C-alpha cells in the first residue's frame, strides 16, 4: 500500500473563473425570479398564454436552481502515476471489460482496436485480464479477437519498446510516423513492418465473413447454427498469461457470449456486465474492474496508473471511493461538432461540480470500479472478517459454490491474494454455470448486487445506488485524455442515441429509484439527490421547452402575446436573461478551445433533440407505465474515421444532417412549418385583430425567428433530396399536424 509520508498520489486542484461564473449565475437567477414576479402580478390582465409562459419559466427557474446546486463547489484532481510506481510495492490487479452487442452496427475491427489498446497499456501484464462480452454471439467477432491476439504479440512489444502513445493501431497508423526520440533506421523499418502486419490483420478481419462460415474448426464449432438471441453460453480463453510475470507478453484475453433464450429477460448491457463480473470473479477475481464500450479505446497508455492513483490515494485518505470515472471524449470529431456530441462542457461543469458532493455519475464507459462495492459492500461494513454465512451468499450471489467462495474472499479483503493463482481454464465449467439465463433467478443480481436493472441507462441507476450506500466517486481528466470513442453521426443515429438516454433517465425518475425518495431512506446526500434529479429530468425537460417554442407561433397566429412589449421597461428582463445565458455558455465553449460554430451547433441540437428524441423517449416511458408497450434498447451505429487525407470526403459527408422515414422527425418538421406559417402571417398582416392591445409584438417575432434558426437543418431538409431531404410522407404528416394546430388556434382565439 502507498506510503502516506511520501509524495502524494493525487492532489485537488482549485479551478479558475469560478467566482466570475458564480456572479453570472446569480444574476441569471435574479432575472429569472424577476420575470416570474412580473408575470405573476400580470396574470389577470393577460390570457392563458401568460399562464403557460409562467409555468414554463417556473420550470426553467427550478431547473436552474438545481443546476447551481451541482456546479457550486467543483473539485478537480491531478494524479501522479510516477509516484504510484515508486511507492507501491505491488500494484493491484484489474479486470477489463469490453462490451459489444451487434457485429453489424459495431464492426469487429472497432472492437479489436479497443482490445489491442487495453492489452498494451503500461501496467504489469500479470495484473491484467481482458474480458470481451459479445451479445451478438458472432463467430466473426470471435475470429477477429483470435487474430487480434496474434497481432498483439507483435504490437504490444513494439508499443512498449518505442513508448508509443497511441496504442489503438488504427489511430497510430492513420498519422505519419513522427518520433523525436526514435528516428533511427531501426525504428523506421520496424514501423513499416508493423504497419504491413496491421494491414494484413485488417484484411483478415474484413474478409472474416467469407472464411468463418465455411471453415468452422473445433474452436468455431460452438457457433454452428447459432441464433443471436437463442443460444447457450460460449466462453473461450483466447490467450492465457501462463507465466505470471509482470513483464509477460500479454494479459489474459477471454471471449464471452452469455446464454440467451427468447422467453428470458436479458437486461441488455446491465445483464452482460453482471455475467462478466461473475465469470471474472471465478477466473481472476481482480479487486478492480474497468468497463469500456467496444468503441472507446485507451488513448492514454498510463490510464490504469492514473485510476489507481485515485483509488489507492483516496482509500488511504479514507474517502470511500467506489469508482473513478473518466470523461467520454471522441476522436476525429467532425469540424465544429455539427451534431452536438462533444460533452466537454458538461463534464467540466457538472462532473467536477458533483465532485464537490459525493462525486460524478457513472457514465457507462471509461470507469474503474471496486469489486467489493459492486458486490454490495457499504462503507460502514468494510471491516468484514471471517467467513460469511453460506445461506446469505447463495441468496444474494447464486448457487455456485466456487463463485460464492470468491465473493466471500473479496468481501473479506482477500481478493488480492487470489488473483491468478489457478489457470483461468480451470474455471471454465463453473463459468458456464454462472453465465446461464437461470442463474440470477431468486438472487440479488440487478437489485442488490451488481449492475442494476430497470432502466435503459443502467449506468446512471447503478451509480446512484452506489452513492446511496454512502460511497463517493471521483472524476479524473488526465492529459492526454484517457479514452476516445466514435460519436453518433447523422440525424437518425443521433436521435436513436438520445432517445435511449431520455428513455433511461425517465424510467428512473418515475420508479422507486427516484433520487428524492432514495435520499429519504439511504445515505444519498441531499445535494447529490438534487444533482441526480436534475440529470433524470433531462428527458421531461422537453415538455416546457416545446411549449415555450410553440407559444411564439401560437401568439403570431392568433395575434396575442406572451412577452412584454419592447417599449416597456419589463422587456429588458427577458432580453437580458437571453443574452447573458447564451453569452455565458459561449464563453465556456471558447475557454476550453471550442469554436463559436461548435457552440451554436450544440445550442441548436439541444432544441432539435427536445422536439424529437427526448419527447419520444418520454412518450415511450408513459406508454410503458400504462402497460401499452415496453421500452426497447437500441444500439447505435459505430463508424471509424481517421485523420488521413483519404477520409476527408467521407467525413465531410458525415457532417451533413440526414433524415429517415422514422416518425421521430415528424414533430420537429411540424414545429418548423408552424413557425414559418406564423412569420408569414405576421409579415403579411394576416392575423386577426388584437384584443385589448395585447397583440403580438417584436419579441414574439424574434422568438419565432430564433426557433427557425435552431431548426435550420430541417429547413434545408424541406428542400433537400435523398437522405439529406425530409421524406415526402414525413412532410405530409407534419403539414397535416400544422393545419390541425392552425385550425385549433383560431378556434381557441375566438372563444
Amino acid at each position: 500500500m502507498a506510503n502516506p509520508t511520501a509524495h502524494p498520489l493525487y492532489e485537488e486542484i482549485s479551478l479558475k473563473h469560478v467566482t466570475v461564473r458564480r456572479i453570472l449565475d446569480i444574476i441569471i437567477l435574479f432575472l429569472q425570479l424577476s420575470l416570474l414576479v412580473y408575470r405573476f402580478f400580470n396574470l389577470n390582465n393577460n390570457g392563458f398564454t401568460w399562464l403557460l409562459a409562467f409555468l414554463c419559466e417556473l420550470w426553467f427557474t427550478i431547473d436552474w436552481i438545481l443546476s447551481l446546486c451541482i456546479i457550486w463547489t467543483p473539485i478537480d484532481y491531478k494524479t501522479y502515476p510516477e509516484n504510484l510506481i515508486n511507492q507501491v510495492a505491488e500494484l493491484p490487479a484489474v479486470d477489463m471489460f469490453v462490451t459489444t452487442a451487434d457485429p453489424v452496427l459495431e464492426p469487429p475491427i472497432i472492437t479489436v482496436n479497443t482490445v489491442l489498446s487495453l492489452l498494451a497499456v503500461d501496467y504489469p501484464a500479470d495484473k491484467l485480464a481482458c474480458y470481451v462480452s459479445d451479445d451478438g454471439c458472432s463467430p466473426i467477432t470471435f475470429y477477429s479477437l483470435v487474430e487480434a491476439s496474434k497481432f498483439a504479440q507483435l504490437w504490444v512489444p513494439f508499443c512498449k519498446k518505442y513508448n508509443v502513445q497511441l496504442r489503438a493501431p488504427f489511430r497510430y497508423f492513420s498519422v505519419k510516423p513522427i518520433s523525436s526520440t526514435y528516428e533511427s533506421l531501426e525504428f523506421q523499418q520496424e514501423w513499416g513492418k508493423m504497419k504491413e502486419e496491421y494491414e494484413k490483420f485488417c484484411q483478415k478481419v474484413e474478409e472474416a465473413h467469407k472464411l468463418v462460415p465455411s471453415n468452422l474448426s473445433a474452436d468455431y464449432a460452438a457457433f454452428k447454427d447459432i441464433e443471436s438471441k437463442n443460444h447457450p453460453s460460449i466462453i473461450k480463453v483466447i490467450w492465457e498469461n501462463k507465466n505470471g510475470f509482470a513483464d509477460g507478453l500479454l494479459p489474459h484475453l477471454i471471449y464471452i457470449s452469455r446464454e440467451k433464450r427468447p422467453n428470458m429477460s436479458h437486461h441488455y448491457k446491465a445483464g452482460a456486465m453482471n455475467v462478466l463480473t461473475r465469470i471474472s470473479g471465478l477466473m481472476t477475481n481482480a479487486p478492480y474492474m474497468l468497463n469500456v464500450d467496444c468503441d472507446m479505446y485507451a488513448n492514454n497508455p498510463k490510464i490504469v496508473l492514473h485510476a489507481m492513483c485515485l483509488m489507492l490515494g483516496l482509500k488511504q485518505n479514507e474517502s470511500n471511493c467506489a469508482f473513478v470515472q473518466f470523461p467520454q471524449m471522441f476522436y476525429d470529431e467532425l469540424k465544429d461538432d455539427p451534431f452536438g456530441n462533444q460533452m466537454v462542457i458538461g463534464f467540466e461543469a457538472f462532473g467536477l461540480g458533483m465532485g464537490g458532493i459525493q462525486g460524478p455519475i457513472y457514465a457507462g464507459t471509461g470507469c474503474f470500479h471496486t469489486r467489493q462495492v459492486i458486490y454490495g459492500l457499504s462503507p460502514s461494513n468494510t471491516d468484514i472478517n471471517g467467513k460469511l454465512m453460506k445461506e446469505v451468499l447463495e441468496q444474494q450471489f447464486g448457487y455456485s459454490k466456487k463463485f460464492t467462495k470468491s465473493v466471500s474472499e473479496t468481501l473479506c479483503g482477500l481478493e488480492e491474494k487470489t488473483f491468478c493463482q489457478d489457470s483461468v481454464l480451470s474455471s471454465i465449467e463453473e463459468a458456464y454455470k454462472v453465465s446461464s439465463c437461470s442463474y440470477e433467478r431468486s438472487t440479488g443480481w440487478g437489485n442488490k448486487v451488481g449492475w442494476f436493472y430497470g432502466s435503459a441507462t443502467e449506468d446512471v441507476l447503478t451509480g446512484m445506488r452506489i452513492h446511496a450506500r454512502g460511497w463517493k466517486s471521483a472524476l479524473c481528466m488526465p492529459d492526454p485524455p484517457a479514452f476516445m470513442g466514435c460519436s453518433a453521426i447523422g440525424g437518425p443515429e443521433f436521435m436513436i442515441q438520445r432517445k435511449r438516454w431520455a428513455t433511461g433517465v425517465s424510467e428512473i425518475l418515475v420508479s422507486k429509484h427516484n433520487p428524492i425518495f432514495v435520499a429519504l431512506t439511504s445515505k444519498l446526500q441531499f445535494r447529490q439527490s438534487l444533482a441526480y434529479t436534475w440529470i433524470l429530468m433531462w428527458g421531461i425537460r422537453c415538455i416546457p421547452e416545446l411549449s415555450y417554442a410553440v407559444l411564439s407561433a401560437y401568439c403570431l397566429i392568433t395575434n396575442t402575446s406572451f412577452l412584454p412589449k419592447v417599449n416597456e421597461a419589463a422587456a429588458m428582463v427577458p432580453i437580458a436573461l437571453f443574452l447573458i445565458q447564451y453569452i455565458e455558455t459561449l464563453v465556456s465553449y471558447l475557454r476550453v478551445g471550442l469554436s463559436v460554430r461548435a457552440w451554436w451547433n450544440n445550442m441548436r441540437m439541444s432544441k432539435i433533440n427536445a422536439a424529437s428524441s427526448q419527447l419520444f423517449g418520454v412518450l415511450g416511458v408513459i406508454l410503458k407505465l400504462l402497460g401499452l408497450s415496453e421500452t426497447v434498447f437500441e444500439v447505435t451505429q459505430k463508424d471509424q474515421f481517421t485523420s488521413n487525407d483519404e477520409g476527408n470526403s467521407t467525413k465531410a459527408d458525415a457532417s451533413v444532417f440526414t433524415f429517415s422515414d422514422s416518425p421521430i422527425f415528424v414533430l420537429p418538421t411540424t414545429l418548423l412549418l408552424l413557425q414559418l406559417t406564423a412569420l408569414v402571417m405576421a409579415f403579411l398582416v394576416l392575423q386577426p385583430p388584437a384584443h385589448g392591445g395585447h397583440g403580438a409584438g417584436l419579441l414574439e417575432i424574434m422568438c419565432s425567428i430564433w426557433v427557425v434558426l435552431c431548426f435550420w437543418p430541417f429547413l434545408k431538409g424541406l428542400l433537400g433530396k435523398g437522405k439529406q431531404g425530409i421524406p415526402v410522407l414525413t412532410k405530409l404528416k407534419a403539414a397535416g399536424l400544422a393545419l390541425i394546430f392552425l385550425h385549433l388556434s383560431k378556434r381557441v382565439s375566438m372563444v
Side-chain angles (χ1 to χ4, degrees), residues 654-675:
S655 65
V656 178
F657 197 98
T658 55
F659 301 88
S660 70
D661 57 0
S662 170
I664 207 168
F665 292 101
V666 173
L667 191 58
T669 308
T670 304
L671 183 59
L672 176 62
L673 292 176
L674 283 176
Q675 301 295 342

Side-chain angles (χ1 to χ4, degrees), residues 250-464:
L250 296 176
H252 299 303
L253 177 59
I254 297 100
Y255 170 90
I256 299 167
S257 183
R258 59 186 172 132
E259 181 185 15
K260 283 191 173 182
R261 299 301 177 193
N263 60 337
M264 301 289 288
S265 177
H266 306 117
H267 304 291
Y268 308 112
K269 183 179 175 181
M273 292 300 299
N274 284 335
V275 170
L276 286 171
T277 302
R278 293 195 293 271
I279 293 177
S280 65
L282 286 167
M283 290 185 168
T284 48
N285 201 33
Y288 298 103
M289 302 178 292
L290 161 67
N291 90 277
V292 294
D293 290 341
C294 64
D295 65 308
M296 299 293 291
Y297 70 87
N299 183 64
N300 187 327
K302 297 186 183 300
I303 184 55
V304 183
L305 296 172
H306 282 287
M308 291 303 107
C309 282
L310 283 173
M311 283 292 195
L312 300 180
L314 290 169
K315 184 177 181 180
Q316 169 188 316
N317 294 331
E318 299 181 354
S319 294
N320 297 326
C321 182
F323 61 87
V324 174
Q325 177 68 57
F326 292 86
Q328 288 191 39
M329 304 188 74
F330 306 101
Y331 60 83
D332 276 0
E333 182 62 29
L334 301 172
K335 185 180 179 182
D336 298 323
D337 192 18
F339 299 102
N341 285 314
Q342 293 286 15
M343 295 179 282
V344 178
I345 300 301
F347 271 107
E348 184 188 65
F350 299 102
L352 298 180
M354 292 183 73
I357 316 173
Q358 278 185 266
I361 65 170
Y362 164 38
T365 182
C367 187
F368 285 81
H369 299 270
T370 307
R371 187 179 289 271
Q372 288 181 326
V373 176
I374 293 297
Y375 284 169
L377 194 71
S378 298
S380 58
N381 60 358
T382 53
D383 295 326
I384 296 176
N385 293 309
K387 295 183 178 179
L388 299 176
M389 291 181 61
K390 176 183 176 182
E391 295 79 7
V392 174
L393 287 172
E394 290 187 357
Q395 183 180 6
Q396 293 292 342
F397 298 97
Y399 53 84
S400 169
K401 293 181 180 179
K402 188 172 181 179
F403 177 64
T404 53
K405 179 183 177 182
S406 77
V407 170
S408 178
E409 292 171 345
T410 297
L411 293 176
C412 293
L414 303 176
E415 71 284 345
E416 293 186 32
K417 299 178 182 179
T418 62
F419 183 79
C420 291
Q421 280 189 341
D422 301 320
S423 168
V424 293
L425 287 169
S426 65
S427 302
I428 284 287
E429 183 178 349
E430 205 69 16
Y432 275 98
K433 182 187 296 185
V434 301
S435 64
S436 68
C437 287
S438 60
Y439 184 80
E440 293 184 354
R441 190 176 297 158
S442 301
T443 67
W445 287 102
N447 183 30
K448 295 182 179 179
V449 298
W451 271 254
F452 278 70
Y453 302 150
S455 170
T457 51
E458 79 296 324
D459 46 2
V460 178
L461 178 57
T462 301
M464 184 178 69

Side-chain angles (χ1 to χ4, degrees), residues 96 162 176 180 244 269 382 446 615 631 677:
M96 304 179 292
Y162 294 107
K176 294 180 179 179
S180 59
K269 183 179 175 181
T382 53
L615 183 64
T631 55
T677 302

Side-chain angles (χ1 to χ4, degrees), residues 98-100 106-116 132 141 145 294-295 640:
V98 180
T99 52
T100 182
E106 299 172 334
I109 191 64
I110 294 180
T111 302
V112 295
N113 266 278
T114 295
V115 170
L116 287 167
V132 180
T141 300
L145 287 168
C294 64
D295 65 308
Q640 279 186 350

Side-chain angles (χ1 to χ4, degrees), residues 392-583:
V392 174
L393 287 172
E394 290 187 357
Q395 183 180 6
Q396 293 292 342
F397 298 97
Y399 53 84
S400 169
K401 293 181 180 179
K402 188 172 181 179
F403 177 64
T404 53
K405 179 183 177 182
S406 77
V407 170
S408 178
E409 292 171 345
T410 297
L411 293 176
C412 293
L414 303 176
E415 71 284 345
E416 293 186 32
K417 299 178 182 179
T418 62
F419 183 79
C420 291
Q421 280 189 341
D422 301 320
S423 168
V424 293
L425 287 169
S426 65
S427 302
I428 284 287
E429 183 178 349
E430 205 69 16
Y432 275 98
K433 182 187 296 185
V434 301
S435 64
S436 68
C437 287
S438 60
Y439 184 80
E440 293 184 354
R441 190 176 297 158
S442 301
T443 67
W445 287 102
N447 183 30
K448 295 182 179 179
V449 298
W451 271 254
F452 278 70
Y453 302 150
S455 170
T457 51
E458 79 296 324
D459 46 2
V460 178
L461 178 57
T462 301
M464 184 178 69
R465 298 306 307 183
I466 289 173
H467 284 136
R469 295 204 300 269
W471 290 103
K472 296 182 179 180
S473 59
L475 181 69
C476 186
M477 298 193 294
D479 185 21
F483 299 96
M484 302 288 280
C486 52
S487 56
I489 58 173
E493 294 305 320
F494 174 86
M495 299 297 185
I496 288 173
Q497 185 185 64
R498 297 314 195 262
K499 177 189 172 186
R500 185 175 71 241
W501 292 357
T503 300
V505 295
S506 300
E507 284 176 323
I508 302 172
L509 188 66
V510 298
S511 72
K512 64 179 181 180
H513 300 296
N514 182 290
I516 301 299
F517 300 150
V518 171
L520 297 176
T521 58
S522 70
K523 296 180 181 179
L524 188 67
Q525 295 180 16
F526 178 68
R527 277 183 62 199
Q528 189 80 357
S529 71
L530 294 181
Y532 272 110
T533 301
W534 183 86
I535 292 167
L536 299 180
M537 290 195 313
W538 180 76
I540 63 174
R541 200 171 287 134
C542 66
I543 298 174
E545 288 194 13
L546 272 176
S547 301
Y548 213 77
V550 170
L551 266 176
S552 58
Y554 174 82
C555 288
L556 291 178
I557 292 170
T558 60
N559 201 11
T560 54
S561 66
F562 76 103
L563 291 166
K565 297 293 184 290
V566 291
N567 58 354
E568 298 178 16
M572 294 305 298
V573 176
I575 293 173
L577 184 58
F578 176 87
L579 292 175
I580 293 175
Q581 276 192 301
Y582 279 98
I583 289 174

Side-chain angles (χ1 to χ4, degrees), residues 27-28 30-32 34-36 38-39 50 57 563-581 698-699:
I27 291 174
I28 291 171
F30 173 77
L31 291 172
Q32 288 177 325
S34 300
L35 184 58
L36 286 176
Y38 171 76
R39 284 208 185 276
W50 276 62
E57 289 159 0
L563 291 166
K565 297 293 184 290
V566 291
N567 58 354
E568 298 178 16
M572 294 305 298
V573 176
I575 293 173
L577 184 58
F578 176 87
L579 292 175
I580 293 175
Q581 276 192 301
L698 181 61
L699 291 186

